[in-house]
Amino acid sequence: MARHAQSRVRTRLSRRSKAVGGLALSTLVGTALWAWPASGDDHNSGTDAKSTTSTTASGPDTPRVPVSAAKSAPNAAPNPPAGRPIPGLSDAARKRIPANSRQVLVVTGKDMDSFESRVVLYTREEGSDDWEPGPTWPAHNAARGWTDDHHYGDLRSPIGVFSLTDAGGLLAAPGDTKLPYDRNSSFVAGGTGVEGEPLAGAFDYVIAINYNRESGTSPLDPQRPWGDAKGGGVWLHVDHDGPTQGCVSLKPKVMRELLRTLDPDLHPVIVMGPADY
């Protein structure tokens, strides 16, 4: 697995561009993939991944194959779920949400190739089918947008429905954090991001997205059940004002709020992808 290293890449992507072109693309894919520590696919895998918190996650099992949310066929008439469903998702995506989940974090990209997205936490009461939205937060995803067939270094975030069972960070867990939390000095992002922005503090707080990883372990755990080629180390983490390599980044205040709110007993999951998938 590639490790975080000091990056001297200063390639910049316009926040409104949808691809990296010409020589910049060659530099990005050829050399910089091994140097960028922006997020996703290249977290340091040689560190001690033992959690400093001994509580046990109780989220749903990690899927054994990548989960993508296919759109409903045109003119199809799916049976809508009872109650008030989460808006903006296809029926197929809604069906992938585990029946016992009462917290769903929805990450919606502007489009397939955009690195700008928004995040809403939906919750429901026990015995209710009505999903209630929380506030909407701005976020960043991968530099080249989204994919339903993520591979190491493609600079796209994986589309799908994944459980959220483990957290950690360089800083101590906020009070009332319920997810198992590994405070570890190895949560350090060196170098600069895709647009040259500093990465200091990006891993102050992280929540592992259970894409190609073993649940119930530290986010630093290097295991990749589907193989290294399928990437890994896809996290929610602190925003560094630029696109990521595959993660979803949010402001520090939002990360602290999520850590205080997400509860293993409510089986939280993340539904992530471009708009209307």
Side-chain angles (χ1 to χ4, degrees), residues 53 55 103 167 172-181 205 207 254-266 268:
T53 304
T55 53
Q103 292 179 322
D176 297 327
T177 294
K178 300 174 181 66
L179 292 174
Y181 189 94
Y205 306 110
I207 299 170
V254 179
M255 285 298 300
R256 288 192 291 268
E257 182 171 346
L258 287 175
L259 285 167
R260 287 191 294 263
T261 303
L262 295 176
D263 186 344
D265 291 338
L266 303 182

Side-chain angles (χ1 to χ4, degrees), residues 127-146:
S128 172
D129 292 322
D130 292 337
W131 288 99
E132 299 291 343
T136 299
W137 301 304
H140 287 108
N141 52 273
R144 298 180 69 184
W146 300 90

Side-chain angles (χ1 to χ4, degrees), residues 49 51 55-58 60 62 165-166 180 210 213-219 221:
S51 174
T55 53
T56 302
S58 57
T62 304
T165 58
D166 306 285
N210 285 354
R213 70 177 302 270
E214 293 289 347
S215 63
T217 63
S218 166
D221 186 86

Side-chain angles (χ1 to χ4, degrees), residues 98-132:
N100 63 353
S101 179
R102 290 168 51 198
Q103 292 179 322
V104 176
L105 194 67
V106 177
V107 181
T108 306
K110 288 180 63 176
D111 55 53
M112 194 69 176
D113 299 318
S114 172
F115 55 73
E116 295 179 341
S117 50
R118 63 183 180 86
V119 176
V120 180
L121 178 63
Y122 287 85
T123 59
R124 66 180 179 87
E125 296 295 328
E126 185 174 7
S128 172
D129 292 322
D130 292 337
W131 288 99
E132 299 291 343

Side-chain angles (χ1 to χ4, degrees), residues 60 97-98 101 103-106 121 161-164 267-271:
I97 298 172
S101 179
Q103 292 179 322
V104 176
L105 194 67
V106 177
L121 178 63
V161 180
F162 310 102
S163 57
L164 301 171
H267 308 286
V269 299
I270 185 170
V271 182

